[in-house]
Amino acid sequence: MNKENVFEQLEHIVGKDFVSNREEDLYIYSQDPGASLPRHVDFVVMPENVEEVQKIVKLANQEKVPVIPMGGGLTLSGLIIPVKGGIVMDMKRMNSIIEINALSKYALIEAGVTTGQLLSFLNENYPNLQPPVPDAPPSATIAGNVLIHGSGYLSQKYGNHGAMINGLEVVLPNGDICKMGSCAVSKYWFARGPIPDLIGLFISSFGTMGIVTKLSVQLFDKPKFREVVFGLLNDPNDIPNILLKITETGLAEDVLIGMQDKPDWMKGYVFIIAYVTGESQEEIDSHIKIFKRIYRKAKARYMKTAERIRKVYLEKPIFAAAAADYRKGGGFEYVGANMPLENLPEAYKKGAEISKRYGIVPTLGSRLIGGTHNIVMFFSYSFNRADPKDMENAREALHETNKLALELGGIPWKAELSGQQLILKKMDPNYKKLFNTIRSILDPNHIMNPGNWEVK
Amino acid sequence: MGGEIKITINSEQDWKDIVHRCFRCGYCKFTQNFSDFNCPSYRKFKFETYSTGGRMWLIYGIINGEIQWNSGIANVLYACSTCGNCIENCRFDKFNDFLVDFIEAARVEAVNNGFCPEKQKVLLERTENREMFNPYGEINSNNEELKSKYNLPDNAEWVYFIGCTSNYRQKNLRDATLNFLKKAKIDFTLIDEHCCCSPIIRTGQTKPVKDFMNYNLAQIKNTGAMKVITSCAGCYRTLKKDWSKFETDLGIEIFHTIELVKKLLDEEKIKFKSEYNKKVTYHDPCHLGRHMGVYEIPREVLKQIPGVELVEMKRNRENAWCCGAGGGVKIGYPEWAVEISGERLEEAKQTGASEITSVCPFCRTNLSDANQKYSMNFEIIDIIEIFDKLDYEIVD
Ligand SMILES: Cc1cc2nc3c(=O)[nH]c(=O)nc-3n(C[C@H](O)[C@H](O)[C@H](O)COP(=O)(O)OP(=O)(O)OC[C@H]3O[C@@H](n4cnc5c(N)ncnc54)[C@H](O)[C@@H]3O)c2cc1C
Ligand code: SF4
Ligand code: SF4
């Protein structure tokens, strides 16, 4: 790579203000808020439209320089920190909400639209519709989130966010612009099929298959009333039963479980947090009654909560960052593993053991994704960024947790480099081969976020 | 009167020990409902480096030696209007209050390491200049002329601390304040004031601040006054919040003019004899609003002026969009500063108001510059200037 030439070309493509190789910018983009060590970045670039993205990708191919697409950069697992240097492509200037289709219920947006932006836009203009958003801070992009099999408070009812993609516009590694989903055939971005479904190639592949510039995501009706019903279990072994009982009702919008040793009053319990929705307060009240009954039968206690706590739970995005601040050290990362229900009790017990072994207060949680079809389990580790040993400790705990998840039949989600390697080690060799073949055809120069999902 | 003062860093709590608590999660970039980015710096420069979190991480990078001072880092630290939007939106309690303090403390380090940008250096040079004592480079006015024009005594209950912007750039605002105080029969006087030091504090050039403060305090005390009134949001913040970092008990009470107006209205001492039939909006100065928690008083005053129709801009109070002048941005990045105000004027336009009111001469200056640059035809006016246009009587 001729660095000077690349820089000049990038300036030519996006304009001087939107490309940087300044030390301070590279320093910031060489790290994320998780526990990964910093890695070298050569350039940061912020394209404004698909043509600019296309030109950058073509340049990268010509100069054989890596390109790493970045949304909010909030996965915590270093997925937007280059492994082999190169260009970090910050998508935030592509932030148009192009269309809200209130009949087919989708939002057509550019890749830089943040979850906060779409949420707020809908609240103001389409108060009856809600987007799929994670509990992540609002600067996470919708694209970044759906492209990693994200999940949120609609997931128990409707599945993971990757499944809510109707269509994509992608700049492929060779610079071609490709439309996928119904938009490949129709002017409406209303559905994913019925044509061969290649959208999956772009999900959880961490930017290795191309750069998504536009996407259509499904929107959902917003219930008029929403309430949170708390329950307490004493024994993690009872988790599968209560989750089955809850999902059998078909009434829960979102179900979370939590087990943590701090604050002290939470120690020794498994918390069940179920969200019920309804058209009226009477409906909500009757749902709460049903849940109280289920809790009782499933050895759980219904827990009445203070108004303040109830409010915090009903306004989830605010709640999310607080968990990252437990240690007041600015560092937080979690293993989010997708787990089969049968091994969840074991995951809780062994997860707590790992935390204790590493001197970290056990903070475990999970969320149902599409009933009990899949459960995403969080093993959270906050650490002190100012203490390199503490960060190293967190990295080791994360690695051991990834191993545990795989042992229990689960799969680490949005895994960092070492986690990806653990997954690849267990992966069906022919799946690996297929993935690699497709990748090499699409990206013969290996410019797209190389180092991720690297089959060795 | 006035709002709650936010905590500032004190000597027991070394900012260097807590700045790494920033998680770079980015709540600080937004408005309260996340509709858009509300950090003027991030909105303009867009790189993560220019978010509050980016600044916190750079500051920490310098502290732990991962990155060394250079002019680029200094530029990032100075490209912030100290508007305080981040303070409102960061979710980490007992950390968020300090965000602007961190930036200002890091600017002190920039200065100590020889990285104060040239344009901002001028603020200190002029302020320290013995013929000026103000950041505008004007010959110091000892205010004797004004004292005799308004027939003010040497000793009084109150001192009107005019502030450099009102005294050298927004004289109409100053005169309107003087007229109001006279009419209200306030027993007040003026001093030969030197800069309150807001511009140099905000830009990290803090060396002479204590001397300036002591000088001003001595001048105030010479008059026998125990109360100081100012018409400037920047002076108000500085006197009330920054000076007390140097001297825990200043021995004086500090008020913004608008607080006095409100008090007189509450006591039903102002009898209006004319109306101000205008649709107006109110711009919250960051140094009065987010920095000092004063949001409602100016609005309540406006609502009590007969004829005034007050309409709110979309972003108001804690959520207000900054005018762009503060934190050394006006002098350091003059075009960008006006651009920021331009955005405010666009927002004001959507309200249908013909006038933008505020209670800060510095906001008034920058909003007026944008009004001119973008040919927006607003009347930019301080609330006290509205009183100057009205017929009213103060009753005992
Ligand atoms: C406190 C906290 C709570 C969280 N809670 C949740 C939660 O409840 N649910 C959840 O799902 N996640 C959660 N997350 C994880 C994560 O923040 C989110 O999933 C987030 O939405 C990721 O989006 P992003 O824009 O930050 O993506 P990024 O980190 O920027 O990108 C994610 C991946 O997608 C790739 N990518 C990004 N944009 C493009 C594009 N345009 N084209 C191609 N590839 C692209 C990147 O290269 C990267 O590999 C949480 C994170 C934090 C910090
Ligand atoms: S300043 Fe606060 S809100 Fe902003 S990134 Fe840091 S911790 Fe998050
Ligand atoms: S004070 Fe204002 S400009 Fe400065 S970082 Fe905070 S929000 Fe941005």
Side-chain angles (χ1 to χ4, degrees), chain A residues 25 27 31 92 317 325, chain B residues 21 24 27 42 46 49 66:
Chain A
D25 294 324
Y27 173 77
Q31 337 173 40
K92 74 164 68 73
D325 193 36
Chain B
R21 198 176 140 196
R24 205 138 73 73
Y27 284 89
Y42 185 68
K46 297 194 164 57
T49 328
E66 279 178 15

Side-chain angles (χ1 to χ4, degrees), chain A residues 32-33 67-81 89 91 110-115 133-137 139-153 155 161 169-171 202 204-215 256 317 319-324 332-334 367 376 378 413-414 420 448-449 452, chain B residues 23-25 27:
Chain A
D32 81 354
V67 181
I68 297 90
M70 168 179 158
L74 282 170
T75 59
L76 305 177
S77 31
L79 300 180
I80 43 78
I81 315 176
M89 188 186 284
M91 303 299 289
E110 287 189 308
V113 169
T114 64
T115 50
V133 290
D135 285 348
S139 44
T141 59
I142 295 281
N145 180 250
V146 299
L147 292 176
I148 57 163
H149 283 106
S151 58
Y153 61 83
S155 294
H161 295 165
E169 176 191 83
V170 184
V171 174
F202 295 84
S204 283
S205 49
F206 307 153
T208 58
M209 295 287 166
I211 296 168
V212 172
T213 45
K214 267 187 212 129
L215 64 156
L256 297 160
F319 168 65
F332 175 68
E333 190 174 335
Y334 60 95
R367 160 174 269 147
V376 62
F378 315 105
W413 163 61
K414 64 177 177 63
Q420 291 169 28
M448 293 306 309
N449 210 357
N452 280 278
Chain B
F23 179 49
R24 205 138 73 73
C25 49
Y27 284 89

Side-chain angles (χ1 to χ4, degrees), chain B residues 21-28 52-53 56 89-92 95 99:
Chain B
R21 198 176 140 196
C22 169
F23 179 49
R24 205 138 73 73
C25 49
Y27 284 89
C28 49
T52 319
M56 294 306 121
N89 290 291
C90 170
R91 298 288 188 253
F92 293 179
F95 172 74
L99 292 169

Side-chain angles (χ1 to χ4, degrees), chain B residues 104-205:
Chain B
E104 289 180 359
R107 288 177 178 184
V108 174
E109 297 283 311
V111 171
N112 292 342
N113 284 277
F115 286 98
C116 181
E118 290 306 316
K119 286 184 182 165
Q120 284 84 336
K121 272 188 192 167
V122 173
L123 295 171
L124 179 66
E125 283 160 18
R126 290 174 179 166
T127 305
E128 280 191 317
N129 184 310
R130 307 192 65 79
E131 293 191 346
M132 299 173 182
F133 299 119
N134 68 76
Y136 289 104
E138 300 290 341
I139 297 299
N140 179 50
S141 156
N142 60 11
N143 295 330
E144 283 302 326
E145 219 174 285
L146 281 174
K147 258 175 85 178
S148 56
K149 182 175 169 195
Y150 284 86
N151 195 18
L152 301 176
D154 288 334
N155 293 301
E157 200 184 327
W158 296 71
V159 160
Y160 168 35
F161 193 89
I162 305 172
C164 305
T165 310
S166 301
N167 217 1
Y168 303 109
R169 291 290 178 274
Q170 297 290 344
K171 293 185 182 167
N172 197 50
L173 194 165
R174 173 197 70 191
D175 296 344
T177 312
L178 287 162
N179 291 339
F180 181 86
L181 295 175
K182 271 308 256 191
K183 207 160 173 176
K185 300 192 194 77
I186 301 294
D187 172 25
F188 79 103
T189 188
L190 302 173
I191 57 165
D192 176 4
E193 63 186 58
H194 293 171
C195 182
C196 73
C197 289
S198 173
I200 59 174
I201 295 175
R202 307 277 86 81
T203 53
Q205 308 178 88

Side-chain angles (χ1 to χ4, degrees), chain B residues 284-297:
Chain B
D284 289 278
C286 301
H287 286 120
L288 191 70
R290 283 186 286 247
H291 286 232
M292 303 302 289
V294 179
Y295 299 107
E296 299 311 322
I297 293 174

